[in-house]
Amino acid sequence: MTAPVPEPIRLDHGPATPPPSCPAHAATGPGGVTRLYGPAHRSDPAGLYERLRKQHGAVAPVLLQGDVPAWLVLGYHENMVVARTPNRFSRDSRHWRHWQDNLLTPDSPLLPILTWRPDCLSQDGGEHQRLRAAVTDGLARFDRRGVRRHIQRYASQLIDRFAMTGSADLLPQYAQHLPMLLLTHLFGMPEEEGPRLVEASIELVKGTETAVVHNAYIMDTLRRLVERKRTVPGHDLASWLLEHPSRLTDDEVQHHLWLVMLTANETTTNLVANTLRVVLTDPRFRASLTGGLMTVPDAVEQVLWDEPPLTTCIGGYATADTHLAGRPIKAGDLLLLGLAAGNADPAIRPDPNTPVHGNRSHLAFSRGPHECPGQDIGRAVTDIAVDTLLIRLPDVHLAVPENELSWTSSTWSRHLNALPVTFTPRWSIAAGAPADIPTRTRPPHTTTTEHVPAQLAPPASERPPRVSRWSALWQRLNRS
């Protein structure tokens, strides 16, 4: 059982930057093996994957933080082999042959990722089926229309907070909080716990020096939730896991909630942010959506190909000596699924500029028995997040040149640091005005905009009807 984290927990400090002369800045480690961390990886992970592909082929040796050895699977078909054959590549990290080598220090950011857990992701065979059934059955109990209504409500609430300001940073004010608002609802948690969980999960996935502390905070929060739901169950995932015929222990329930929270929040946040960025920066993309040539779900699948929310994830541990793409893999070796690299494999995408709208054969949610069970919820959050924003703020556009956007990359993901936008200030729904009624502005010869107090707004009966193209698109999608 995880001990409570002392207050206050520090959620704003990342790792200190080593001096330029420090070996940690080197792109390669012992034996000239490429490091899948550090400045070289952070600056251009996609470029690094392609250099590794040219040098090594479909499978490349790499080093993780602390120079922990692993294999990065770069080929699409090789990724499928690893993901679909657990008898060759087990997800049980107790097979890892380096556990006894003391490569992971107690504060290693890899510890929360590589440590064996009593969850379905760390199991194979019958035990995996028992645990996964509890998760899939629990998620299936939620009414899909009800979930979509909650997403819509949370999205509108977040937009209400900045709709009348004329500007926002869509990352911290929208994309980062929408998934966790839904998750706290599905888990049966108070919404006010969401912001701290967002910060803790971000730092954990980043792999900062405080990853272990943030992980302890998340685990303690979930432990207290399980204890509460054991006594007072509700209409939520935590309660349904506890009562499932698979007879999960409290520890197993806690770790499955951790798994769902970390994977769903990180992947959905990135997917929302990436989709919004493409819509805002690629005129062809937005024109296709507006003109009805592409639906938002089609656009999401394109983004899942080009910028999967997770770039890399644990693929498995070799159960015996074997070969993969001509590489000798020893029993107990760690293999990573290169989700982004596999999606860009020239063997299946010789021309990366060819649209793949609606094509779901990407690797973004992994494959095989461990394919993400909550991917449809992630898609729903993204679809509704994009639709709602563009309906509410139809003239939203990027506030800075596209080349000024920046990213932070870790071994596991690549995400935007900010997504600043501007738009015509709009009445918030909470204030009682329709979302598609713009705030009154000064006469055309002036350049500034003022907010009209709610008590001075014209009554609804006097407002001219106005339906934006996005509203019309939304209506068509709901009818289809």
Side-chain angles (χ1 to χ4, degrees):
M1 185 174 292
T2 307
V5 179
E7 297 286 348
I9 184 171
R10 294 170 60 189
L11 297 176
D12 56 348
H13 291 163
T17 302
S21 59
C22 177
H25 276 290
T28 58
V33 179
T34 297
R35 285 178 166 140
L36 208 61
Y37 67 97
H41 175 263
R42 285 197 300 269
S43 62
D44 183 19
L48 179 62
Y49 301 150
E50 292 312 307
R51 290 193 295 273
L52 286 171
R53 197 192 309 273
K54 290 179 180 179
Q55 182 178 359
H56 299 283
V59 179
V62 294
L63 296 172
L64 306 181
Q65 286 157 300
D67 286 344
V68 172
W71 295 98
L72 177 62
V73 185
L74 301 161
Y76 179 89
H77 296 294
E78 289 74 15
N79 270 283
M80 297 285 274
V81 168
V82 174
R84 287 179 167 176
T85 54
N87 61 319
R88 290 180 62 192
F89 306 103
S90 170
R91 295 302 294 266
D92 189 337
S93 63
R94 292 172 294 188
H95 286 282
W96 189 34
R97 66 188 179 94
H98 290 296
W99 265 126
Q100 306 303 321
D101 297 342
N102 296 320
L103 295 182
L104 300 183
T105 60
D107 61 347
S108 170
L110 294 175
L111 202 60
I113 306 296
L114 298 184
T115 298
W116 180 87
R117 294 175 178 274
D119 62 29
C120 59
L121 198 62
S122 299
Q123 310 281 357
D124 300 303
E127 188 65 4
H128 167 259
Q129 294 173 11
R130 176 183 76 88
L131 297 172
R132 185 177 173 96
V135 176
T136 54
D137 291 349
L139 293 174
R141 289 184 65 172
F142 290 107
D143 176 70
R144 291 195 176 189
R145 291 184 179 180
V147 169
R148 294 184 72 89
R149 284 195 298 269
H150 283 292
I151 300 169
Q152 179 78 53
R153 178 167 64 89
Y154 293 137
S156 291
Q157 288 176 354
L158 291 171
I159 294 171
D160 279 345
R161 297 177 184 178
F162 56 76
M164 297 185 69
T165 66
S167 64
D169 184 341
L170 295 180
L171 190 67
Q173 294 179 262
Y174 194 55
Q176 285 181 346
H177 287 280
L178 181 56
M180 191 63 80
L181 280 170
L182 179 65
L183 287 170
T184 54
H185 168 74
L186 298 183
F187 283 16
M189 302 173 68
E191 289 182 7
E192 55 267 23
E193 295 198 32
R196 294 192 73 196
L197 289 170
V198 167
E199 296 299 322
S201 61
I202 288 172
E203 295 303 313
L204 174 57
V205 177
K206 279 183 181 178
T208 66
E209 290 178 345
T210 56
V212 172
V213 176
H214 290 101
N215 184 63
Y217 170 74
I218 295 172
M219 291 299 293
D220 182 63
T221 301
L222 296 176
R223 176 188 59 79
R224 289 184 280 108
L225 172 66
V226 173
E227 291 176 350
R228 187 165 65 250
K229 292 299 178 179
R230 178 69 76 179
T231 304
V232 186
H235 190 77
D236 52 68
L237 182 60
S239 300
W240 293 337
L241 290 177
L242 286 167
E243 68 183 41
H244 193 270
S246 294
R247 301 177 64 85
L248 273 64
T249 66
D250 286 11
D251 197 36
E252 289 172 337
V253 172
Q254 178 188 2
H255 280 86
H256 280 92
L257 292 174
W258 178 94
L259 177 64
V260 173
M261 176 175 289
L262 265 293
T263 54
N265 185 66
E266 172 69 8
T267 58
T268 309
T269 293
N270 281 354
L271 185 55
V272 171
N274 289 340
T275 305
L276 287 171
R277 181 192 65 80
V278 173
V279 169
L280 292 170
T281 58
D282 189 335
R284 297 169 300 174
F285 212 99
R286 190 160 183 172
S288 295
L289 286 171
T290 307
L293 301 177
M294 183 198 314
T295 65
V296 174
D298 287 342
V300 171
E301 298 307 320
Q302 179 73 49
V303 172
L304 286 168
W305 273 101
D306 296 336
E307 296 188 63
L310 292 179
T311 54
T312 306
C313 72
I314 301 297
Y317 306 84
T319 57
D321 289 353
T322 186
H323 284 79
L324 183 65
R327 288 283 178 177
I329 310 295
K330 293 184 178 180
D333 276 359
L334 165 61
L335 291 92
L336 307 177
L337 297 180
L339 307 177
N343 279 354
D345 187 350
I348 62 161
R349 291 185 72 188
D351 181 4
N353 295 316
T354 300
V356 284
H357 304 159
N359 186 331
R360 291 194 173 192
S361 58
H362 51 73
L363 301 171
F365 296 111
S366 187
R367 286 305 183 92
H370 293 283
E371 186 171 359
C372 176
Q375 57 185 278
D376 287 340
I377 293 179
R379 286 185 171 99
V381 172
T382 307
D383 293 347
I384 295 171
V386 174
D387 271 329
T388 304
L389 185 79
L390 295 175
I391 291 170
R392 293 282 307 273
L393 309 173
D395 64 345
V396 62
H397 59 275
L398 202 62
V400 298
E402 182 181 356
N403 60 10
E404 291 185 11
L405 295 177
S406 63
W407 284 260
T408 295
S409 299
S410 70
T411 298
W412 317 108
S413 63
R414 176 179 183 261
H415 56 85
L416 279 165
N417 294 323
L419 190 59
V421 295
T422 58
F423 46 85
T424 301
R426 302 266 163 167
W427 293 106
S428 69
I429 289 179
D436 58 353
I437 300 298
T439 302
R440 292 186 188 179
T441 59
R442 294 178 183 272
H445 63 274
T446 62
T447 58
T448 59
T449 302
E450 64 180 0
H451 301 302
V452 180
Q455 63 270 25
L456 298 182
S461 60
E462 297 179 13
R463 297 182 188 129
R466 179 179 182 274
V467 179
S468 69
R469 287 179 295 177
W470 275 106
S471 297
L473 175 60
W474 173 256
Q475 294 167 5
R476 289 201 303 272
L477 291 175
N478 281 340
R479 288 196 299 267
S480 61

